[in-house]
């Protein structure tokens, strides 16, 4: 599978225009390119991280400049998936945990059999088999967040943008999720863009770390993160092993 | 610990009030013509059931109410969801719908008789009219309040309009739809009983029976028929509650779970 990249050029964006006010734009002449692997975007609260995530996902229109995705075979809507801070937004509360993970697969044309197999695999990887038949409102916050992430990655989108999506996880479950996400990045070539204010998340998950700051927003620091790759590939995990960290 | 009344408390209170009423009647404090005793009313009900085919009146009223509400749901829910999806279409007729909703349904009955004819269909059509509008407006409101991020998911998954309506908007709207059905059931019962009372379309119906007993100065069975109409209302409401429990079992049960819905 090819690598998916995004090139942001001369981006200009202001919330003021939609409010009818004229204020200094949040982004002005902002350029950035993000390649394959896991890229963390950090910065203080209000630095404009989430705005950038939503601009990249196409949920906010830029006032000027361009966000160009370079994805093999051309960008389809399913190729870039975005998940925000509220996991309930990323699931259908009227579907069981299992149905939630299976639903996108069935809609994207997977056969019933393949979708079922993939769902079982994801329930296992994210350790949510025990709540498979429960509804999202009736499980714990950590289980819900893992369900939402499992649904978002189910069809292996080429690009996954996680906007503070790991915040409700305790240390043990975060390790499970981080391992699963690293495998997507390494084995399935998923380009992961991680918005976070937590330095520990960056060290655990990212290959590259960008810090945003200033007005208009610019990249303050841009560094590579040294890390060891997990050794067990994703496919091995489907065969009954539930130990996910694999380091 | 929160205070919880005993389960039998409501029954105890009801039984107590009936006992007081019975005693008051026995002591002769009220004219039994205007207020017969509970025992007299119960006897009258038993007699009506055994000798006057009263159960058929109950059945006919129930069938009319259910036909009206079912038709209203069959029209109101799909139309409401379609309007929830095509919001511009709704914006252009929203005013008209609210105007139609403001017309008292009972005022329309003479017109319905004229247009539809003196028939069973006219009774059902009259109860259908406000029921369908209730359900329609509630459905649109629910669909408009649908979670935006879930609708963005629909774009990511390239869902067809039909899929968005059946797989997302329907469920997002379901709590509102059921609230609309609850209103519709109560309203339909009021209209059906009222129409049965004044238009001699059919020999059967609770309204018809209340009117006949009253015209014959038979107060015990009048009270009995009124009590049965009330019981029917309670029963229909309980049925909607049951429907809600079943169809909305995915909603949060506790405050803690509710808080998590919004983050």
């Amino acid at each position: 599978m090819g690598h998916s990249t995004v090139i942001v050029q001369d981006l200009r964006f202001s919330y003021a225009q939609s409010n009818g006010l004229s204020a200094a734009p949040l982004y002005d002449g902002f350029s950035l390119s993000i390649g394959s692997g896991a890229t963390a975007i950090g910065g203080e609260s209000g630095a404009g991280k989430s705005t950038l995530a939503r601009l990249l996902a196409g949920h906010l229109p830029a006032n000027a400049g361009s966000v160009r995705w370079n994805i093999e075979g051309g960008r389809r809507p399913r190729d870039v998936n975005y998940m925000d801070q509220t996991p309930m937004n990323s699931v259908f509360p009227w579907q069981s945990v299992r149905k939630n993970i299976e639903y996108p697969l069935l809609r994207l044309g997977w056969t019933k059999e393949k979708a079922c197999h993939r769902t079982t695999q994801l329930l296992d990887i994210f350790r949510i088999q025990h709540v498979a038949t429960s509804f999202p409102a009736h499980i714990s916050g950590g289980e819900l967040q893992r369900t939402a992430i499992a649904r978002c990655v189910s069809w292996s989108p080429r690009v996954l943008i996680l906007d503070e999506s790991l915040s409700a996880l305790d240390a043990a479950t975060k390790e499970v999720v981080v391992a699963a996400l690293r495998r997507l990045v390494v084995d399935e070539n998923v380009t992961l863009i991680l918005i976070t204010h937590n330095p520990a998340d960056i060290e655990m998950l990212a290959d590259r770390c960008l810090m945003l700051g200033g007005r208009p927003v610019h990249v303050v620091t841009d560094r590579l993160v040294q890390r060891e790759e997990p050794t067990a590939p994703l496919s091995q995990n489907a065969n009954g092993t539930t130990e996910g960290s694999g380091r | 610990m929160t205070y919880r009344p005993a389960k039998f408390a409501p029954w105890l209170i009801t039984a107590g009030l009936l006992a007081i009423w019975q005693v008051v009647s026995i002591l002769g404090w009220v004219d039994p013509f205007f207020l017969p005793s509970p025992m007299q009313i119960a006897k009258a009900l038993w007699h009506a059931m055994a000798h006057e085919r009263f159960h058929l009146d109950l059945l006919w009223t129930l069938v009319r109410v259910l036909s009206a509400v079912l038709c209203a749901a069959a029209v109101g829910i799909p139309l409401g969801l379609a309007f929830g999806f095509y919001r511009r279409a709704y914006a252009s007729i929203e005013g008209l719908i609210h105007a139609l909703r403001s017309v008292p349904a009972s005022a329309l009955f003479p017109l319905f008789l004229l247009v539809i004819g003196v028939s069973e269909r006219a009774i059902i059509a009259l109860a259908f009219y406000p029921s369908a509008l209730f359900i329609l407006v509630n459905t649109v409101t629910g669909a408009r309040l649908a979670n935006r991020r879930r609708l963005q998911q629909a774009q990511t998954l390239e869902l067809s309009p039909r899929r968005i309506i059946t797989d997302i908007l329907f469920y997002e709207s379901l709590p509102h739809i059921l609230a609309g059905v609850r209103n519709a059931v109560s309203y339909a019962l009021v209209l059906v009983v009222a129409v049965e009372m004044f238009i001699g379309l059919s020999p059967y119906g609770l309204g018809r029976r209340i009117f006949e007993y009253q015209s014959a100065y038979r107060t015990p069975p009048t009270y009995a028929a009124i009590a049965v109409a009330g019981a029917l209302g309670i029963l229909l409401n309980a049925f909607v509650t049951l429907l809600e429990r079943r169809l909305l079992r995915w909603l949060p049960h506790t405050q803690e779970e509710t808080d998590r819905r919004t983050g």
Side-chain angles (χ1 to χ4, degrees):
Chain A
M1 266 181 279
H3 294 279
S4 310
T5 58
V6 62
I7 296 165
V8 177
Q9 236 164 8
D10 284 326
L11 183 80
R12 184 187 160 87
F13 177 80
S14 170
Y15 280 109
Q17 282 191 342
S18 50
N19 298 340
L21 303 164
S22 60
L26 187 57
Y27 284 90
D28 199 4
F30 183 84
S31 296
L32 176 69
S33 94
I34 295 175
S36 58
T39 302
I41 297 175
E44 288 171 20
S45 283
K49 308 185 292 286
S50 288
T51 306
L52 182 61
R54 292 167 67 199
L55 283 160
L56 291 175
H59 295 164
L60 278 178
N63 299 129
S66 65
V67 174
R68 271 208 329 277
W69 289 97
N70 192 350
I71 292 171
E72 202 176 83
R75 188 198 160 178
R76 296 165 298 174
R78 72 184 65 170
D79 289 332
V80 179
N81 199 12
Y82 166 87
M83 180 181 163
D84 66 12
Q85 297 99 318
T86 309
M88 202 51 105
N89 287 345
S90 297
V91 299
F92 287 173
W94 50 87
Q95 291 178 337
S96 69
V97 166
R98 172 171 260 284
K99 279 264 159 31
N100 256 298
I101 298 170
E102 205 173 31
Y103 182 80
L105 301 175
L106 296 174
R107 293 288 77 77
L108 291 173
W110 291 43
T111 62
K112 190 101 187 131
E113 201 180 321
K114 265 183 76 185
C116 181
H117 181 260
R118 172 71 170 169
T119 303
T120 307
Q121 186 187 14
L122 286 165
L123 288 171
D124 186 46
I125 292 172
F126 286 92
R127 298 201 199 164
I128 41 178
Q129 313 94 316
H130 59 290
V131 290
T133 54
S134 305
F135 288 108
H138 308 150
I139 60 181
S140 79
E143 288 160 348
L144 174 61
Q145 202 146 21
R146 279 177 282 157
T147 302
I149 295 171
R151 177 174 167 127
C152 284
V153 303
S154 60
W155 69 91
S156 302
R158 304 311 318 138
V159 180
L160 181 63
I161 303 169
L162 297 181
D163 186 353
E164 303 278 12
S165 306
L166 308 179
S167 55
L169 299 173
D170 59 58
T173 51
K174 188 173 271 185
E175 207 171 317
V176 172
V177 170
V178 164
L181 290 173
R182 275 312 301 178
R183 283 174 186 159
L184 282 174
V185 171
V186 174
D187 299 344
E188 301 190 22
N189 247 325
V190 171
T191 296
L192 181 69
I193 298 173
L194 180 75
I195 310 292
T196 182
H197 60 261
N198 184 351
D201 287 358
I202 298 172
E203 299 308 320
M204 280 208 287
L205 196 47
D207 298 306
R208 178 188 174 196
C209 171
L210 296 162
M211 299 299 275
L212 300 181
R215 281 291 184 279
V217 179
H218 55 273
V219 176
V220 181
T221 60
D222 183 353
R223 67 182 173 92
L224 293 178
V225 180
Q226 293 302 317
R227 49 177 312 101
E228 285 170 46
E229 281 312 327
T231 46
L234 183 63
S235 49
Q236 278 188 5
N237 214 315
N239 305 326
T241 42
T242 49
E243 287 310 311
S245 91
R247 288 240 182 159
Chain B
M1 208 185 123
T2 50
Y3 171 73
R4 288 177 69 186
K7 264 189 174 169
F8 52 84
W11 299 104
L12 214 64
I13 291 168
T14 311
L17 285 174
L18 285 173
I20 293 169
W21 180 0
Q22 184 69 39
V23 169
V24 165
S25 299
I26 289 169
L27 294 175
W29 290 356
V30 288
D31 184 344
F33 177 77
F34 293 115
L35 186 67
S37 74
M39 285 307 286
Q40 274 178 295
I41 294 169
K43 270 185 208 155
L45 179 62
W46 180 254
H47 182 265
M49 289 280 195
H51 305 289
E52 294 173 340
R53 296 180 174 225
F54 185 66
H55 54 281
L56 285 180
D57 296 301
L58 177 62
L59 195 68
W60 271 97
T61 300
L62 179 66
V63 165
R64 284 170 188 143
V65 170
L66 288 182
S67 318
V69 175
L70 283 178
C71 292
V75 172
I77 297 171
L79 208 60
L81 291 175
F83 281 138
F85 184 78
Y86 300 104
R87 289 172 192 221
R88 278 205 197 133
Y90 187 66
S92 59
I93 64 149
E94 189 176 4
L96 179 68
I97 284 178
H98 287 296
L100 287 173
R101 219 153 64 107
S102 307
V103 179
S106 49
L108 289 169
F109 193 58
L111 186 67
F112 277 38
L113 281 180
L114 203 67
V115 176
I116 300 171
V118 180
S119 67
E120 201 58 51
R121 270 181 304 166
I123 305 180
I124 292 169
L126 184 75
F128 164 84
Y129 172 82
S131 302
L133 286 174
F134 264 130
I135 295 173
L136 173 73
V137 170
N138 271 36
T139 307
V140 178
T141 305
R144 278 170 144 185
L145 292 173
N147 182 305
R148 291 299 162 86
R149 285 276 302 115
R150 290 188 201 120
L151 292 174
Q152 281 169 348
Q153 279 188 52
Q155 284 176 8
T156 305
L157 298 175
E158 294 177 81
L159 299 187
S160 63
R162 195 188 67 85
R163 277 281 179 198
I164 294 174
I165 287 172
T166 59
D167 293 5
I168 301 180
L169 291 183
F170 173 70
Y171 290 99
E172 293 274 6
S173 186
L174 199 51
H176 296 264
I177 292 175
L178 289 167
V181 169
R182 188 183 291 281
N183 277 335
V185 164
S186 307
Y187 217 93
L189 180 62
V190 169
L191 283 169
V192 166
V193 169
V195 169
E196 285 170 345
M197 212 173 271
F198 296 110
I199 318 284
L201 284 178
S202 158
Y204 295 113
L206 286 176
R208 183 88 219 131
R209 204 41 76 98
I210 292 167
F211 184 71
E212 279 175 4
Y213 287 142
Q214 179 265 341
S215 308
Y217 297 101
R218 293 173 61 191
T219 43
T222 308
Y223 275 93
I226 291 169
V228 167
L232 184 59
I234 293 170
L235 198 82
L236 287 168
N237 245 301
F239 177 69
V240 178
T241 304
L242 205 73
L243 212 61
E244 277 179 340
R245 278 209 198 122
R246 174 90 194 108
L247 297 176
L248 299 178
R249 64 190 194 283
W250 46 271
L251 283 181
H253 302 320
T254 62
Q255 186 60 49
E256 196 197 3
E257 289 173 353
T258 307
D259 293 343
R260 206 178 313 126
R261 291 194 80 194
T262 47

